[in-house]
Amino acid sequence: MVDLAVEIALRRHTRATLTSQLIEGIRRLIRAGRLVEGDRLPSTREGAAALGVSRNVVAEAYDQLAAEGYLEARVGSGSYVAPGLQASLSIVARPAERRVGPPRPLPTPSLRFNAGNPDLRSFPVGAWADSLKRAALRSRERDLGYRSIMGLRELREALSGCLLRQRGIRCDPRLILIVSGITQAVDLLAKGFPPDDRREAIVEDPSLEFVQRAFILNGYRLRPVAVDEAGLRTAELPAESRARFVCVVPSHQYPLGGILPVQRRAALVEFARRKGVWILEDDYDSEFRYQGAPVEPLQLLAPERVVYFGTFSKTMFPALRLAYLVLPEELLSPLVEVKKGLNLFSPTIEQAALAEWITSGRYDAHVYRMKRLYRRKRERVVRAVEACFGASARVLGQSAGLHLLLELTARELDGATIERLRSAGLEIDWVEESAVRKGGHRGQIVIGYGNLSEEEIEAGVRRLAELLG
Amino acid sequence: MVDLAVEIALRRHTRATLTSQLIEGIRRLIRAGRLVEGDRLPSTREGAAALGVSRNVVAEAYDQLAAEGYLEARVGSGSYVAPGLQASLSIVARPAERRVGPPRPLPTPSLRFNAGNPDLRSFPVGAWADSLKRAALRSRERDLGYRSIMGLRELREALSGCLLRQRGIRCDPRLILIVSGITQAVDLLAKGFPPDDRREAIVEDPSLEFVQRAFILNGYRLRPVAVDEAGLRTAELPAESRARFVCVVPSHQYPLGGILPVQRRAALVEFARRKGVWILEDDYDSEFRYQGAPVEPLQLLAPERVVYFGTFSKTMFPALRLAYLVLPEELLSPLVEVKKGLNLFSPTIEQAALAEWITSGRYDAHVYRMKRLYRRKRERVVRAVEACFGASARVLGQSAGLHLLLELTARELDGATIERLRSAGLEIDWVEESAVRKGGHRGQIVIGYGNLSEEEIEAGVRRLAELLG
């Protein structure tokens, strides 16, 4: 019989309890083959005496090892090493320590022109910190549990008012679904239908790659339809398509920046109604419109066919991860089923804090303040492009949003050039990369200016002109 | 020419600006057919005079309507209603107001025995509120943006230490991926591989329905393998399977409560290695183990084959929506690609607050306190079942977790009986419902006691016995 006191050195005053040290010690002996099938272990009394610990410690260790299958207790006879272990354990011999490579050096880009980020330095974190604290203190038992699949009731009610005020959308809060972002929205939509032959989505070409990828990863084929300066070319909507969805960004198309005119809106709605297609309207950037009043959402034209998407990533900050859908009645129950079935819901305390911001008017005030800031930045970009590029580039899509488009008038770019810009520290989005059908957008670069200061904008555009010069 | 002043009544001192009232007014006239294709609108000067507003207001409204496609400006001639509108607009005539049904009455169950919810009334919201506030104030610019796809660095570092201390898992923080929960984990795994012929997942039968559904909704077939009181019956692992994943809950199987013995662990690892199958280890409930030391995770046996999943839903609260994966080196880059490609990441302020709880020791202290609480509750359930059911039921899977299993010894239940229990206010999970192959678990009910008081437990078990009596 093995002498536990010789084989296992128990240490006191360490983090690990005596019991867990003993368990680990016996496991080690079995793995090393020092204890083999059928070996009898000391009784709890003998073991305790040998190791200088209480019988409880030994008994607990044996119980645990029996529960894990290392030992078996025979009534009236003691504990024995269980059969079948050696063969099993040789198979699962520990592999060598995992190879841990050195951390890859991250490039430190001087200027991030990528679209999407709002001005993070101007976000009032102090006020948000207070709201979060209040929201946590206010949270009720049910808010902390699993019961908010649709989203927090108070946020959906606040949103309902906000949508009417700002976008003219009338919707019952029960048709609003809180999601984490556009890809979760697409995921829910894609999964809300059976895997039939309508797994096809019409997407604007070019358009946001996240949306394209979310459809593809859900087994959908993409059907690209070209975009021009006025958005989706609805005349090219495929007559023979079996598409289930058509995705549009009618307020400020990403990346080309067009506003979909009412004729195309009508054509799109007519197409959707005739073919039973659902329109996913991403109302991207509609809050930051600098010329004229906000454009009417498509949702107003066809609330029974349009899934309206809005996000707080641009008006608040991206890491908040809160966005929403306004659903047509018919889609409510299938989408809620998917959300329930996958237990997908968003953190509730941040939802409550956001609801407070909306109902108190603080949210509107923040958006208003940011809009003035972005307007100034946008003017700075336009002026810098004029000064540095002259007639060799023009600016498109500048009526709204946090980005605009720089189009080289007499030149196309290639991957190598883009790579060169990036390694020189200019993080830019090349429109060609978000095009489904390649070749048509080689001269276009997105200039996201939301999170750059006016000085950075000026320096960045100048650097861009130099590198492309 | 239409007289705008007659047709459109502008109101001052309302929320809507004069410009947006004028825009909406003209849109209305076009939709109603009062203004038709080719009609000329008053000049901005005429319009301004007629309406008693500044020329700017009219000019802005015309610009906006031109951007939307309602009007077209002809140089030197003025603004005209654009062609092709009537046909378009008749198609998109507004449908009747959406039918909004009365809210469905929610049953108000007196006792929720569903598994999964921890004790929400005992969560120290005050301390959490303070941590959230501190985390928000500490947050840096980059934490608010789009840069934390893997999860917040400080949380992954804190977790790395926590995993070593509590579960013996050694892992570099860069192999830790923060996710929102088990279904997002499955989603990432399912999407991390091409849609080939290995779209099959071996699941424990019965097991958590969320996991089953997440695979199915990603186009996977399920391959159920039976579970007994010691967890997955590894002898029944399909020899001919082309499965890509096998999902197990080895520490405290849900719902049966078994602990997978080391022989089966070894067999499972051997199977996974031989067939190139990935093991998804859901270390569900391992924190709340009442008998003996925690069971060793599978991850220690085969870190190169096991994807380890842990969640904070039980130790903190579900609406926090934070969980994590420890990945084998080989899966890191494909999963990060999916996460990046879909822009899936979790709110960063709550991650920072959680990291603070872990590194300060507050998290361990909270888990320890809760464990004592749950141990008392568990004893109360066991006593109540003995008192109310006697020999007609036995309790299984009571060594860990927030639930145990009530098995009727001489009786099977059917859907109608379960429905009757539920409408009487007892929300219970019937094991038969989470079984893939039906018929084998009709006498088993899950008793989740995490969020019930001792009095509620007692009353609930008594009521259950009466209704089944």
Side-chain angles (χ1 to χ4, degrees), chain B residues 261-278:
Chain B
V262 69
Q263 293 82 350
R264 291 194 187 180
R265 286 169 190 252
L268 177 59
V269 167
E270 191 275 329
F271 171 81
R273 286 187 175 151
R274 188 161 38 84
K275 313 271 286 180
V277 174
W278 299 102

Side-chain angles (χ1 to χ4, degrees), chain B residues 90-112:
Chain B
S90 63
I91 291 164
V92 297
R94 302 193 168 218
E97 279 288 285
R98 254 160 299 169
R99 174 179 45 85
V100 173
R104 264 174 297 176
L106 282 172
T108 46
S110 45
L111 288 167
R112 303 184 200 279

Side-chain angles (χ1 to χ4, degrees), chain B residues 161-347:
Chain B
C162 182
L163 281 166
L164 178 59
R165 213 163 58 238
Q166 298 186 342
R167 308 297 283 128
I169 294 176
R170 257 173 222 287
C171 68
D172 196 278
R174 85 195 167 80
L175 292 173
I176 298 178
L177 213 57
I178 304 297
V179 295
S180 64
I182 185 76
T183 60
Q184 190 181 71
V186 170
D187 207 55
L188 293 176
L189 285 168
K191 290 180 172 142
F193 294 89
D196 56 12
D197 63 343
R198 297 199 64 170
R199 299 230 133 192
E200 189 172 280
I202 298 171
V203 295
E204 295 176 324
D205 185 16
S207 61
L208 199 65
E209 280 175 277
F210 291 132
V211 173
Q212 298 172 17
R213 223 175 272 125
F215 274 112
I216 291 172
L217 287 177
N218 274 297
Y220 273 66
R221 288 179 306 280
L222 296 186
R223 184 80 183 232
V225 168
V227 166
D228 60 24
E229 285 176 38
L232 186 75
R233 297 170 68 101
T234 46
E236 297 173 18
L237 283 167
E240 83 304 352
S241 158
R242 301 268 299 143
R244 169 162 289 130
F245 299 107
V246 50
C247 307
V248 281
V249 190
S251 297
H252 186 228
Q253 205 270 340
Y254 180 86
L256 298 193
I259 298 168
L260 199 66
V262 69
Q263 293 82 350
R264 291 194 187 180
R265 286 169 190 252
L268 177 59
V269 167
E270 191 275 329
F271 171 81
R273 286 187 175 151
R274 188 161 38 84
K275 313 271 286 180
V277 174
W278 299 102
I279 298 173
L280 174 56
E281 173 177 32
D282 179 358
D283 202 18
Y284 184 76
D285 270 357
S286 68
E287 297 87 351
F288 302 121
R289 190 162 158 73
Y290 312 113
Q291 290 163 351
V295 183
E296 247 192 346
L298 264 175
Q299 201 271 356
L300 288 183
L301 292 180
E304 88 297 351
R305 271 287 124 196
V306 171
V307 178
Y308 177 91
F309 173 83
T311 178
F312 293 98
S313 289
K314 319 298 168 193
T315 51
M316 296 285 289
F317 57 95
L320 178 61
R321 301 283 75 212
L322 288 176
Y324 57 93
L325 291 175
V326 178
L327 294 176
E329 184 73 42
E330 197 181 331
L331 289 189
L332 181 62
S333 119
L335 263 70
V336 169
E337 277 311 295
V338 177
K339 224 164 177 281
K340 264 193 197 152
L342 294 177
N343 203 18
L344 293 175
F345 65 107
S346 297

Side-chain angles (χ1 to χ4, degrees), chain A residues 411-432:
Chain A
R411 177 161 178 197
E412 302 215 318
L413 301 171
D414 52 26
T417 310
I418 297 297
E419 208 33 67
R420 198 154 47 80
L421 297 178
R422 286 177 183 156
S423 50
L426 288 175
E427 282 197 17
I428 48 114
D429 292 333
W430 185 29
V431 176
E432 185 66 16

